[in-house]
């Protein structure tokens, strides 16, 4: 009898051990939040999405096309940054779903349809790729639903009728305290071309210097015209500048055509026509007329398309040439950028006074307007974007507190399995295989 009990006990222990090992080796989930398991696919999706974004930024900002894992993001090694980001994002997903359900909120039928439509479209084009990464269709759907729930929670607190709704007066005050209003004209600087050793040649330097002197002189000419001109009336100076740019383009184009024609008519014994001088189209003002309305507000998430003007209306946009920029929300690193330095200059200017400014890229004319002349209208037309600017940090604090209160247990086996490098290598392998097939 005692022997039978021992055998039974041993079998029970063995089964418990096996069950424990199976549970610990299960990497289909990345964490538990209370009684819920969070799919590993959601974690991988967060990791992959941020990886793609950061790689794109590396390319556009620094020209980096490879060796991504040798780079740093926010002071961290790329793989460490991605792991931390994905883990935090997945914890926040769990907290959002938990709080959303706690408050008894629901997604509308329209929201669900939009998510399903997005999933169908995504899976038609990228479903095979996601599955190669270990991301199921259900995981992507849950991730998208989580994003929508997060938006709904934000509105639950801060939108009209919300628990902590932002009043119109609060929004107008935020604009007055943080925003800059300005117009600008720029004349691009010419940089000396380099030889094969990446050194500027003397002739190229002389040519660039001459072009920049001409651009500066032209800027000063327009600045003189702008003296005494109000912010509103500065549009006339911009119109004249645009006419100047258009005429210069036409003249440069004509010059280039004449030069090409001359070259083709010069039939000598030598086939080398390289000695024919090419038209220097960058010797004076910038041909890029977009500089007039160039957005220099890196920190401003409110799209300055000025939705107050209906694109189908025949009425001209009274704000077409100006920008509203959230300078107050910029951190030191943003203020140290080219755009940030321009805004710093504007912040110290008096209103209605055209002012000269220059940096390594161009010579500028800047003029500052009074935000209060437009704040109420701008707040109404850009309410949603401004609301996010005002309350995103506060909402993030709420979200962080929800994460801290939630009983989250991380499955480290899954974290170690789905590393950024593994995700990247699978992506590379998939596209290499499919591009060559």
């Amino acid at each position: 009898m005692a022997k039978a009990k021992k055998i039974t006990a041993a079998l029970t222990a063995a089964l418990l051990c096996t069950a424990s090992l199976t549970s610990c080796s299960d990497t289909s989930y990345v964490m538990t939040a209370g009684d819920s398991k969070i799919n590993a696919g959601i974690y991988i999706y967060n990791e992959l999405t941020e990886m793609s974004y950061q790689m794109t930024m590396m390319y556009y900002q620094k020209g980096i096309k490879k060796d991504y894992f040798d780079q740093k993001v926010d002071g961290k090694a790329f793989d460490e940054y991605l792991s931390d980001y994905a883990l935090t994002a997945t914890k926040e997903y769990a907290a959002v779903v938990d709080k959303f359900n706690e408050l008894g909120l629901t997604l509308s039928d329209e929201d669900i349809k939009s998510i399903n439509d997005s999933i169908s479209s995504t899976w038609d084009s990228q479903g095979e790729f996601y599955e190669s990464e270990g991301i199921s269709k259900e995981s992507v759907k849950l991730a998208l639903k989580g994003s929508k729930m997060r938006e709904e929670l934000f509105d639950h607190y801060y939108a009209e009728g919300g628990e902590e709704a932002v009043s119109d007066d609060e929004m107008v005050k935020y604009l007055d305290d943080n925003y800059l209003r300005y117009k600008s004209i720029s004349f691009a600087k010419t940089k000396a071309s380099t030889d094969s050793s990446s050194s500027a040649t003397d002739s190229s330097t002389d040519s660039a210097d001459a072009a920049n002197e001409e651009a500066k002189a032209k800027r000063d000419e327009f600045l003189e015209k702008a003296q005494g001109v109000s912010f509103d009336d500065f549009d006339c100076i911009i119109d004249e500048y645009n006419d100047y740019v258009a005429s210069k383009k036409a003249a440069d184009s004509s010059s280039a055509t004449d030069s090409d024609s001359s070259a083709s008519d010069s039939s000598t014994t030598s086939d080398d026509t390289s000695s024919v001088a090419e038209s220097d189209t960058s010797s004076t003002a910038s041909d890029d007329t977009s500089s007039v309305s160039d957005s220099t507000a890196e920190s401003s998430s409110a799209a300055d398309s000025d939705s107050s003007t209906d694109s189908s209306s025949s009425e001209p946009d009274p704000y077409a040439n100006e920008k509203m920029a959230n300078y107050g929300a910029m951190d030191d690193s943003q203020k140290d950028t080219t755009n940030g330095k321009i805004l710093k200059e504007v912040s110290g200017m008096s209103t209605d006074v055209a002012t000269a400014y220059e940096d390594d890229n161009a010579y500028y004319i800047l003029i500052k307007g009074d935000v209060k002349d437009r704040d109420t209208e701008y707040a109404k037309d850009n309410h949603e974007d401004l609301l996010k600017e005002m309350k995103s940090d506060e909402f993030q604090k709420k979200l962080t507190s929800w994460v801290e209160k939630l009983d989250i247990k991380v499955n480290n086996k899954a974290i170690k399995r789905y590393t950024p490098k593994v995700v990247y290598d699978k992506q590379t392998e998939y596209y290499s295989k499919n591009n060559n097939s």
Side-chain angles (χ1 to χ4, degrees):
M1 183 70 178
K3 185 177 181 180
K5 286 183 177 180
K6 287 182 180 180
I7 293 173
T8 301
L11 287 171
T12 301
L15 287 171
L16 288 172
C17 182
T18 301
S20 176
L21 288 171
T22 301
S23 175
C24 289
S25 62
D26 182 4
T27 56
S28 64
Y29 71 100
V30 76
M31 65 181 64
T32 57
D35 297 329
S36 302
K37 286 185 176 181
I38 309 301
N39 293 353
I42 296 175
Y43 173 83
I44 304 169
Y45 178 83
N46 288 331
E47 199 170 35
L48 180 64
T49 302
E50 183 65 10
M51 179 187 294
S52 298
Y53 171 76
Q54 291 297 338
M55 286 165 56
T56 300
M57 290 299 98
M58 287 179 191
Y59 172 74
Y60 282 111
Q61 294 177 355
K62 301 177 182 178
I64 295 171
K65 301 179 182 179
K66 58 181 181 178
D67 300 327
Y68 301 107
F69 286 84
D70 293 336
Q71 310 304 316
K72 287 189 175 183
V73 178
D74 291 349
K76 296 181 180 180
F78 189 41
D79 56 348
E80 180 186 2
Y81 167 82
L82 290 173
S83 294
D84 289 349
Y85 174 89
L87 186 59
T88 298
T90 308
K91 286 180 178 180
E92 290 181 352
Y93 160 82
V96 161
V97 173
D98 181 75
K99 178 59 69 171
F100 191 85
N101 292 331
E102 177 190 319
L103 294 173
L105 303 177
T106 57
L107 295 180
S108 68
D109 291 341
E110 184 180 351
D111 290 335
I112 296 298
K113 182 180 184 304
S114 176
I115 290 169
N116 288 335
D117 289 346
S118 179
I119 290 292
S120 296
S121 175
T122 297
W123 225 252
D124 286 343
S125 60
Q126 292 184 288
E128 187 178 337
F129 165 64
Y130 279 125
E131 288 175 347
S132 74
E133 287 281 8
I135 304 171
S136 68
K137 192 174 186 178
E138 179 65 17
S139 289
V140 177
K141 183 175 182 179
L142 289 172
L144 294 183
K145 285 180 70 176
S147 295
K148 188 60 184 177
M149 288 178 181
R150 184 168 178 153
E151 292 176 12
E152 293 297 315
L153 280 169
F154 183 90
D155 288 344
H156 172 79
Y157 287 101
Y158 304 117
E160 184 177 357
E163 291 185 12
E164 302 169 33
V166 176
S167 70
D168 292 340
D169 288 344
E170 287 177 301
M171 189 166 285
V172 167
K173 184 178 186 307
Y174 177 81
L175 276 169
D176 293 344
D177 291 346
N178 293 279
Y179 268 65
L180 296 174
R181 184 185 181 200
Y182 71 101
K183 296 174 183 176
S184 68
I185 294 175
S186 69
F187 299 80
K189 287 185 176 181
T190 299
K191 295 182 180 179
S193 58
T194 58
D195 57 20
S196 58
S197 64
S198 298
S199 299
T201 61
D202 290 341
S203 60
S204 175
T205 300
D206 290 344
S207 177
D209 288 346
N212 289 333
E213 286 179 13
E214 185 176 351
K216 183 177 183 296
K218 183 58 68 173
R219 188 278 308 273
D220 292 344
E221 178 185 324
F222 274 87
L223 180 62
E224 181 64 27
K225 295 177 181 180
Q227 296 309 303
V229 175
S230 69
F231 181 79
D232 290 339
D233 291 340
F234 191 75
D235 285 349
C236 295
I237 303 299
I238 291 176
D239 289 341
E240 187 174 344
Y241 164 81
N242 287 334
D243 289 341
Y244 159 73
V245 171
S247 64
K248 184 181 185 305
K249 274 188 175 181
D252 288 344
S253 176
S254 176
S255 176
T257 301
D258 291 344
S259 178
D260 290 342
S261 176
S262 175
S264 62
D265 290 342
S266 300
S267 302
T268 63
T269 54
S270 171
D271 291 330
D272 183 8
T273 60
S274 62
S275 61
V276 178
E278 296 182 356
S279 173
D280 182 1
T281 59
S282 60
S283 60
T284 57
S286 169
D287 287 342
D288 184 5
T289 58
S290 66
S291 59
V292 174
S293 57
D294 181 29
S295 174
T296 59
E298 286 188 346
S299 67
S300 175
S301 62
D304 197 34
S305 58
D306 291 327
S307 56
S308 57
T309 302
D310 186 348
S311 60
S312 63
S313 172
S314 59
E315 291 294 321
D317 180 0
Y319 308 118
N321 291 324
E322 69 178 66
K323 287 294 163 185
M324 294 278 283
N326 190 349
Y327 181 66
M330 295 178 80
D331 58 29
D332 289 342
S333 63
Q334 290 171 320
K335 289 180 179 179
D336 197 41
T337 63
T338 297
N339 291 336
K341 290 175 181 177
I342 290 174
L343 291 179
K344 182 179 180 180
E345 179 72 14
V346 173
S347 70
M349 290 166 46
S350 299
T351 57
D352 295 301
V353 178
T355 304
Y357 174 74
E358 73 172 275
D359 57 23
D360 292 340
N361 303 306
Y363 300 99
Y364 302 86
I365 300 174
L366 305 172
I367 189 166
K368 181 180 180 180
D370 191 340
V371 172
K372 292 182 179 180
D373 290 342
R374 190 186 171 191
D375 54 8
T376 301
E377 181 181 4
Y378 189 87
K380 178 182 177 181
D381 294 334
N382 297 276
H383 181 89
E384 186 174 340
D385 288 328
L386 284 169
L387 191 60
K388 290 177 182 177
E389 285 185 19
M390 293 177 67
K391 293 298 181 179
S392 286
D393 288 346
E394 187 177 310
F395 181 72
Q396 182 60 49
K397 290 179 181 178
K398 289 182 185 292
L399 182 49
T400 300
S401 71
W402 300 339
V403 171
E404 291 170 350
K405 292 175 183 176
L406 200 58
D407 181 23
I408 294 177
K409 293 182 175 62
V410 176
N411 181 1
N412 289 313
K413 289 275 188 180
I415 299 297
K416 291 178 180 178
R417 178 179 179 182
Y418 306 114
T419 66
K421 191 65 169 63
V422 167
V423 173
Y424 175 77
D425 287 344
K426 285 185 177 181
Q427 175 180 267
T428 302
E429 180 182 358
Y430 175 84
Y431 284 114
S432 176
K433 177 182 176 182
N434 284 274
N435 288 339
N436 294 329
S437 61

